[in-house]
Amino acid sequence: MVRRVAIIGAGASGLASIKCCLDDGLEPTCFEQSEDIGGLWRYADTADCGRISVYRSVITNTSKEMSCFSDFPCPDNFPNFLPHHQLLEYFRMYAQHFGLLQHIHFQTTVHSVKKRPDFSTSGQWEVVTETKTGRESHVFDAVMVCTGRYQEPLLPLASFPGIETRFRGRYLHSREYRDTEGFQGKRVLVVGLGNTGGDISVELSRVAAKVFVSVRSSTWVLSRISSHGFPLDVVTRTRLMHFLEWLLPSAFMKRIRLAKFNSRFNHTNYGLASLQSPKFNVIINEELPFCILSGTVVLKPTVKEFTESSAVFEDGTTENIDVVVFTTGYGFSFPFLEDSVRSLFQQSSSLYKCIFPPQLEKPTLAIIGLIQLTGSVMVGAEMQARWVTSVFAGFNKLPPISRMMADISKKKQQLAKGPPEQVNMRMNFVSYMDDLASCTGVKPNMLWMLLTDPRLALAVFFGPCLPYQYRLRGRGRWSGARGAILTQRQRVLEPLRTRILEDSLGGSTGSSWLGFLALSLLLLPPFLLS
């Protein structure tokens, strides 16, 4: 029987995992290699701190109501989109409120995780950790790996002839980027246009002589703010929109989606995306379109090669370049896992529900947070942890290996056929959350809710798919979930009450289902973002 659980990493996923273990009567021990909690969200001034860290100016792309832990709402006065230091403050509040810090061993690196000789019967693991005083061996009944997907910078220098042999300028991965210091007056080339590439390009455009962005595929640029001023995900990430996605033909959905993307500005005119593009990426950035319009950011095609002082692009144009910033993403690996275990999965889509390696004799290893969703990964990771600890504690069971393998194959086929922005493990937020909630026994029962609490049912269906919805029933039920759902609008508006005008906040600040319905119907096209 599982009792002692090792948790590797004390970021958002690790903190949620500790709490879920405690909720289900397990004994968690968390190992964190640094001196504090927060993971990549704990900003570091230098890139040589031994861990991945966000850059100085980063702000969350998902709003606080859609990103918080399911039984611990963000404070009312916190802004809707959090700078990294306020998100870290929220993590500290969460850890202190639930007494999580006492279960964390800081400045402790996990050196190896290996099956015990009797693993086929016991399911136990030998975990070797290393501190300043030496190494120590432990035995655990289960292991939760919470190191995330941002582990190893991908720097594909081989795809850029001349960058190492001829180019005399400076080049770096975005992992090394902290702020604009050292880029003043430079001609900068940013390679890649994801969320990070967009952020860095905009920020550098304020101090650099010129910023060029090499873009390989079509990119649609969205704003965090919906057309009515509410956070975009609060308006679009609803069960109503999810139902319409399921109901309407996919071709019709795609046309509406792209039309909505193009409603703010014509992406083709800006060189960003075409309606005819078979594959595309979606990023969040309010300022990039203006930077392109004002000429401080210039889009370019793929780089063909580098000379001593310039970049040659596939269209034959050449630009003098001083610094190259690669925003080419990250890979993941788990060097502490023994080869026989690590070989069972090369990506999260090879894991059952993106969590469990299905071929293990005992389901006592779980990978938490190795997902890409159309909503908050932190919320998804917490739901993963809730299901995992319920399995460890014996409240739920995994199906036979054959069924797990069939499910994995089916999900891979669905991703391959899905919208382009869902490729590379980018799964629909509501679908994934409901899937895990069903496994855990905490999925909202809409019919029962409609019969017993119509006001709540309408808020749950027409309003945003808040994390609190998964605390209404089942194990881990939270008595404050109903109130949190019905007052979310108040928490969205509260940080805006710094200057109240007569009509600016008119009407009820409650969570009237009529308000939810009106917003949903008025903003019907954005449902295709989810």
Side-chain angles (χ1 to χ4, degrees):
M1 180 177 178
V2 170
R3 179 60 59 187
R4 301 184 66 239
V5 181
I7 298 171
I8 305 174
S13 301
L15 293 176
S17 296
I18 297 172
K19 181 182 179 298
C20 291
C21 282
L22 296 173
D23 289 346
D24 281 330
L26 305 176
E27 300 172 5
T29 301
C30 179
F31 300 108
E32 168 57 44
Q33 66 176 353
S34 70
E35 69 282 359
D36 203 355
I37 65 171
L40 64 86
W41 286 103
R42 183 160 58 85
Y43 171 76
D45 286 320
T46 61
D48 57 358
C49 61
R51 61 182 179 85
I52 303 294
S53 161
V54 294
Y55 39 95
R56 187 188 299 275
S57 62
V58 78
I59 295 176
T60 58
N61 284 336
T62 52
S63 65
K64 66 175 183 179
E65 284 299 297
M66 303 297 285
S67 305
C68 63
F69 296 111
S70 60
D71 55 356
F72 195 75
C74 275
D76 292 10
N77 64 330
F78 271 35
N80 283 282
F81 294 95
L82 303 178
H84 58 78
H85 64 88
Q86 279 193 296
L87 184 59
L88 181 59
E89 181 183 352
Y90 171 67
F91 290 160
R92 295 194 195 285
M93 295 166 62
Y94 178 77
Q96 182 176 3
H97 181 79
F98 292 108
L100 308 182
L101 295 179
Q102 60 184 314
H103 301 281
I104 305 175
H105 295 221
F106 292 107
Q107 295 185 310
T108 303
T109 301
V110 174
H111 180 265
S112 65
V113 175
K114 297 180 179 180
K115 296 178 182 178
R116 296 269 292 167
D118 61 348
F119 180 83
S120 61
T121 56
S122 70
Q124 290 183 327
W125 300 85
E126 181 182 5
V127 178
V128 177
T129 60
E130 187 171 4
T131 63
K132 293 179 180 179
T133 59
R135 292 185 179 179
E136 185 177 357
S137 180
H138 319 259
V139 175
F140 287 97
D141 300 313
V143 176
M144 300 174 74
V145 179
C146 303
T147 52
R149 60 177 299 105
Y150 300 102
Q151 299 177 27
E152 297 182 349
L154 297 178
L155 197 58
L157 299 180
S159 301
F160 298 89
I163 186 71
E164 295 181 278
T165 57
R166 294 194 297 270
F167 184 61
R168 294 183 178 179
R170 176 189 174 201
Y171 65 87
L172 66 150
H173 188 273
S174 56
R175 177 190 185 279
E176 302 176 55
Y177 179 82
R178 288 294 173 267
D179 51 37
T180 60
E181 185 63 33
F183 291 89
Q184 294 87 344
K186 303 291 186 182
R187 292 173 65 86
V188 182
L189 172 63
V190 176
V191 178
L193 188 56
N195 286 312
T196 300
D199 286 349
I200 292 177
S201 300
V202 167
E203 187 168 65
L204 290 180
S205 71
R206 303 186 184 111
V207 301
K210 183 74 75 173
V211 176
F212 302 93
V213 183
S214 174
V215 185
R216 183 173 58 180
S217 59
S218 287
T219 302
W220 298 92
V221 183
L222 308 183
S223 171
R224 295 174 180 86
I225 307 170
S226 75
S227 54
H228 281 234
F230 284 83
L232 182 67
D233 54 1
V234 168
V235 174
T236 61
R237 213 69 69 204
T238 70
R239 293 187 178 277
L240 169 64
M241 303 306 182
H242 182 62
F243 171 72
L244 292 174
E245 281 187 326
W246 171 81
L247 180 67
L248 299 175
S250 58
F252 175 75
M253 290 169 52
K254 181 178 180 180
R255 286 198 298 270
I256 298 290
R257 180 190 294 115
L258 297 185
K260 179 60 183 178
F261 288 170
N262 241 3
S263 62
R264 186 175 165 216
F265 65 94
N266 189 306
H267 283 64
T268 302
N269 289 345
Y270 281 62
L272 283 162
S274 167
L275 293 172
Q276 308 304 320
S277 301
K279 291 190 180 244
F280 58 84
N281 184 34
V282 179
I283 69 170
I284 303 292
N285 198 298
E286 291 76 25
E287 299 179 67
L288 182 60
F290 177 74
C291 289
I292 297 173
L293 196 62
S294 63
T296 55
V297 171
V298 177
L299 299 186
K300 303 293 290 185
T302 304
V303 176
K304 181 180 179 181
E305 63 177 339
F306 284 93
T307 66
E308 291 183 351
S309 59
S310 64
V312 180
F313 299 93
E314 286 191 341
D315 61 358
T317 59
T318 301
E319 298 289 352
N320 291 330
I321 300 296
D322 300 309
V323 185
V324 181
V325 181
F326 288 94
T327 61
T328 44
Y330 292 83
F332 63 87
S333 66
F334 306 101
F336 46 81
L337 291 178
E338 59 180 310
D339 292 340
S340 63
V341 175
R342 196 165 60 244
S343 63
L344 296 178
F345 59 97
Q346 300 301 319
Q347 52 190 4
S348 71
S349 59
S350 299
L351 300 168
Y352 181 58
K353 308 295 185 187
C354 298
I355 303 172
F356 287 103
Q359 302 95 329
L360 283 179
E361 302 97 310
K362 296 288 183 179
T364 56
L365 174 67
I367 313 298
I368 306 296
L370 192 66
I371 47 174
Q372 281 189 317
L373 301 174
T374 55
S376 170
V377 171
M378 290 191 296
V379 174
E382 185 198 24
M383 181 57 73
Q384 288 182 324
R386 290 180 66 187
W387 180 43
V388 166
T389 56
S390 74
V391 171
F392 287 169
F395 299 114
N396 291 291
K397 293 184 178 181
L398 296 184
I401 292 178
S402 59
R403 283 180 54 191
M404 289 193 286
M405 296 300 294
D407 182 82
I408 290 171
S409 178
K410 180 181 177 181
K411 291 295 192 299
K412 286 183 177 180
Q413 292 175 7
Q414 290 175 345
L415 282 176
K417 295 178 180 178
E421 68 272 24
Q422 291 187 19
V423 176
N424 298 325
M425 298 172 286
R426 189 171 173 82
M427 299 172 291
N428 182 280
F429 174 76
V430 179
S431 294
Y432 187 69
M433 290 292 291
D434 278 357
D435 188 16
L436 293 189
S438 295
C439 296
T440 314
V442 298
K443 181 181 176 181
N445 187 325
M446 294 303 303
L447 179 59
W448 176 255
M449 203 183 305
L450 186 62
L451 295 174
T452 59
D453 194 342
R455 184 188 177 200
L456 178 62
L458 293 169
V460 168
F461 185 75
F462 291 108
C465 187
L466 300 163
Y468 325 122
Q469 293 187 8
Y470 301 99
R471 291 286 182 177
L472 290 169
R473 59 186 293 264
R475 291 190 57 79
R477 181 181 180 274
W478 174 44
S479 60
R482 182 182 187 275
I485 293 170
L486 297 179
T487 57
Q488 66 84 21
R489 178 182 168 91
Q490 178 181 333
R491 287 189 300 280
V492 169
L493 294 177
E494 182 61 30
L496 305 179
R497 294 177 178 273
T498 56
R499 179 173 180 253
I500 301 178
L501 303 178
E502 184 176 351
D503 295 325
S504 65
L505 299 176
S508 170
T509 58
S511 56
S512 165
W513 68 268
L514 289 173
F516 284 132
L517 177 58
L519 268 178
S520 299
L521 296 180
L522 283 171
L523 300 173
L524 180 59
F527 80 86
L528 297 161
L529 299 176
S530 57

